[in-house]
Amino acid sequence: MSAKNPGSAIGPARGMRRFDLSRYIHLKKDTAPERIVNGIYFENPVFMLALGMCPTLATTTSVTNAVGMGLSTTAILMMSNLFISLLRKIIPERMRMPSYIVVIASFVTIVDFLMQGFTPAMYESLGVYIPLIVVNCIIMGRAEAYAGKHSPLVSLADGFGMGIGFTAALIVVAAVRELLGNGTLAGVRVMPAAYEPISIFVLAPGAFLVLAVFVAIMNRLHIGAARRKDWDPTGKFVCGDCRSCPRVTGCSGKPETEAANHSHGGRG
Amino acid sequence: MSFSAIMMLVVTTILANNVVLSQFLGICSFLGVSQKTETASGMGGALTFVLTLASFVCGLLYHLVLVPFHLEYLKTIVFILIVAALVQFVEMFLKKYMHSLYEALGIYLPLITTNCAVLGVALLNVQKDYNIVVGTVYGLATALGYWVAIVILSFLREKMTDNDIPRPFKGFPIVMVTSALMSIAFFGFAGLK
């Protein structure tokens, strides 16, 4: 790693063309379909933005858990986006963070009780991670970056796209972990009986390992956030203040002063 | 809970049930501020301070206000607001009265509101039915576990800076692989339970 520009070491591999979906898909900006495609691919919260790492690592022990976590987050994301967008002209500028927190926490509480009542088995296995959806960067990030500035219907679509993108990412990670660690997919045995499950993959270390390999593959193919030359996701968390940062989805990975200037400049 | 049971809880919380390496709480800051040992240690110290205080205040409010008035269902909303307000308050207090400590912890304090370990411990205390004293001790032990893990990771990352790492694994992936190996090592403590 050169000291001057550490990220530049990750260049495209020799003879490898960049994979860029934006060449094939052209949609009008800020429409519902564009928002959904954006959430699933271009700004996929897990793979492209590296947001919401805690639930990604903790709840991907099986595909069933991943679906449960992903769909409950999607529901909360859609509802909070819709309500924050409806209230965007009423909430005073300076009180917006506490207001967003209350809106999000209310929906999390509702989902918490619905899951406890209707899917008790899922509620048991996800445990404390359901109420912890409150501190999921993705939800606060969308409220700040999108729902607080756009009309309700588009914001709802944005929440749906982001939620489905999050769910898809969780399912992909969980499928690899469950297949290697347990020989099953969503509880159904798919590996031959002779396969000896590598149980480390469903335990804690497997989560780190699988995600590391996924990000390494993205670096190799030079897609996602790795398209940016100076991209280093570990650096992005230096400011870590994703919840109060209005530019969280366009985060350049250069925190501190620059991000602060943007948030002041953008809001006057 | 007897004294020996509490000590056992402290040891298992720090080592066997490490907050980052086996429960995945506080991953963002664990990966983000572990580049240098100095900053990692600062973050660990700041978190210990806030987490202990937050688990005490949340426990106090839960047992003295929410339970008597049968408002337990509001716990998620109340706890997140307490944590956010507490971090603000601690920041203001330190700025005014303990300026040297404020300078030392400075940039790490606002990071802590986003740390899911703080809210996680407050909720786990309720889920596990801990009283105020045990809950506070549990909060302290959790924070110490975080401190141990982040300092060890920062040692390893400082050692790694000059290593020849395969190109796609540079940056984020190699840190995750390191965390995976640390997590395997911490499994060795599972026999303590």
Side-chain angles (χ1 to χ4, degrees):
Chain A
M1 234 185 235
S2 71
K4 228 173 165 186
N5 190 357
S8 66
I10 314 166
R14 234 172 302 142
M16 176 84 79
R17 270 190 76 188
R18 276 180 194 192
F19 178 73
D20 193 355
L21 197 69
S22 58
R23 270 197 300 232
Y24 308 108
I25 295 184
H26 300 282
L27 289 169
K28 202 164 155 259
K29 217 172 153 24
D30 288 335
T31 55
E34 187 264 345
R35 282 289 100 197
I36 292 170
V37 173
N38 179 62
I40 294 171
Y41 183 79
F42 294 108
E43 287 189 354
N44 186 295
V46 174
F47 290 131
M48 303 297 190
L49 302 177
L51 289 178
M53 280 295 142
C54 297
T56 310
L57 291 166
T59 62
T60 51
T61 47
S62 73
V63 174
T64 325
N65 277 355
V67 172
M69 186 68 197
L71 291 186
S72 44
T73 309
T74 307
I76 293 164
L77 198 50
M78 284 168 69
M79 293 313 286
S80 72
N81 260 13
L82 178 68
F83 272 77
I84 286 167
S85 176
L86 285 171
L87 294 172
R88 69 185 189 282
K89 287 179 184 138
I90 303 170
I91 296 174
E93 182 67 34
R94 300 190 61 176
M95 285 303 288
R96 65 180 200 288
M97 302 309 291
S99 321
Y100 293 172
I101 289 180
V102 173
V103 171
I104 295 167
S106 310
F107 284 115
V108 170
T109 307
I110 294 170
V111 167
D112 192 57
F113 279 111
L114 286 177
M115 288 186 79
Q116 194 175 9
F118 292 101
T119 55
M122 180 74 81
Y123 182 79
E124 276 293 303
S125 67
L126 290 179
V128 76
Y129 294 101
I130 301 170
L132 279 181
I133 296 175
V134 181
V135 279
N136 191 327
C137 278
I138 301 170
I139 299 175
M140 203 61 176
R142 288 330 284 175
E144 262 299 307
Y146 203 85
K149 295 169 200 150
H150 292 82
S151 61
L153 275 179
V154 195
S155 300
L156 188 70
D158 180 74
F160 179 72
M162 278 283 156
I164 294 300
F166 181 63
T167 311
L170 288 191
I171 291 174
V172 169
V173 177
V176 174
R177 286 184 66 188
E178 199 187 342
L179 198 64
L180 293 175
N182 219 2
T184 57
L185 271 183
V188 184
R189 186 154 189 95
V190 283
M191 292 299 243
Y195 177 74
E196 186 78 46
I198 315 166
S199 56
I200 197 90
F201 278 101
V202 284
L203 299 174
F208 288 113
L209 220 52
V210 170
L211 208 62
V213 171
F214 269 115
V215 179
I217 292 171
M218 277 173 46
N219 281 348
R220 179 78 175 83
L221 298 177
H222 220 65
I223 57 172
R227 271 182 303 179
R228 288 200 292 271
K229 261 192 169 172
D230 55 352
W231 189 69
D232 178 12
T234 55
K236 175 151 60 182
F237 301 115
V238 173
C239 79
D241 207 7
C242 300
R243 331 184 57 161
S244 57
C245 177
R247 303 179 55 83
V248 66
T249 51
C251 186
S252 66
K254 284 183 208 150
E256 289 162 27
T257 52
E258 203 189 3
N261 287 344
H262 278 311
S263 65
H264 293 304
R267 301 197 153 259
Chain B
M1 228 185 218
S2 66
F3 182 73
S4 62
I6 291 181
M7 284 320 285
M8 203 58 215
L9 176 74
V10 170
V11 174
T12 50
T13 308
I14 296 176
L15 299 174
N17 288 332
N18 189 284
V19 60
V20 193
L21 297 171
S22 84
Q23 301 197 55
F24 303 118
L25 297 176
I27 292 285
C28 293
S29 59
F30 175 70
L31 298 173
V33 281
S34 54
Q35 275 144 328
K36 292 199 186 78
T37 307
E38 211 175 31
T39 51
S41 195
M43 182 67 195
L47 187 76
T48 308
F49 187 62
V50 173
L51 189 46
T52 314
L53 201 60
S55 46
F56 175 70
V57 175
C58 287
L60 207 64
L61 224 79
Y62 184 75
H63 289 287
L64 297 184
V65 180
L66 295 187
V67 174
F69 290 101
H70 304 291
L71 293 170
E72 289 96 333
Y73 63 90
L74 285 177
K75 63 176 189 295
T76 313
I77 303 176
V78 170
F79 287 174
I80 185 71
L81 288 176
I82 291 176
V83 172
L86 201 65
V87 172
Q88 284 287 318
F89 178 73
V90 167
E91 196 176 350
M92 273 157 29
F93 179 83
L94 290 182
K95 198 171 182 180
K96 183 109 169 103
Y97 294 106
M98 301 164 84
H99 204 76
S100 57
L101 189 62
Y102 173 76
E103 295 271 293
L105 298 181
I107 50 168
Y108 305 111
L109 278 173
L111 281 180
I112 291 170
T113 321
T114 47
N115 194 320
C116 46
V118 184
L119 185 64
V121 167
L123 290 166
L124 281 173
N125 280 339
V126 171
Q127 214 173 63
K128 293 183 177 175
D129 240 350
Y130 290 155
N131 62 31
I132 300 172
V133 178
V134 180
T136 311
V137 173
Y138 181 68
L140 176 67
T142 305
L144 290 177
Y146 176 88
W147 202 344
V148 168
I150 196 170
V151 167
I152 294 177
L153 181 67
S154 69
F155 285 154
L156 295 170
R157 285 186 71 175
E158 283 190 351
K159 284 272 177 206
M160 278 189 324
T161 45
D162 300 324
N163 285 10
D164 187 19
I165 298 157
R167 242 185 0 185
F169 275 90
K170 271 187 180 159
F172 191 60
I174 194 68
V175 180
M176 299 285 272
V177 173
T178 315
S179 315
L181 294 175
M182 278 174 65
S183 176
I184 293 173
F186 271 66
F187 258 139
F189 294 116
L192 279 175
K193 278 182 210 174

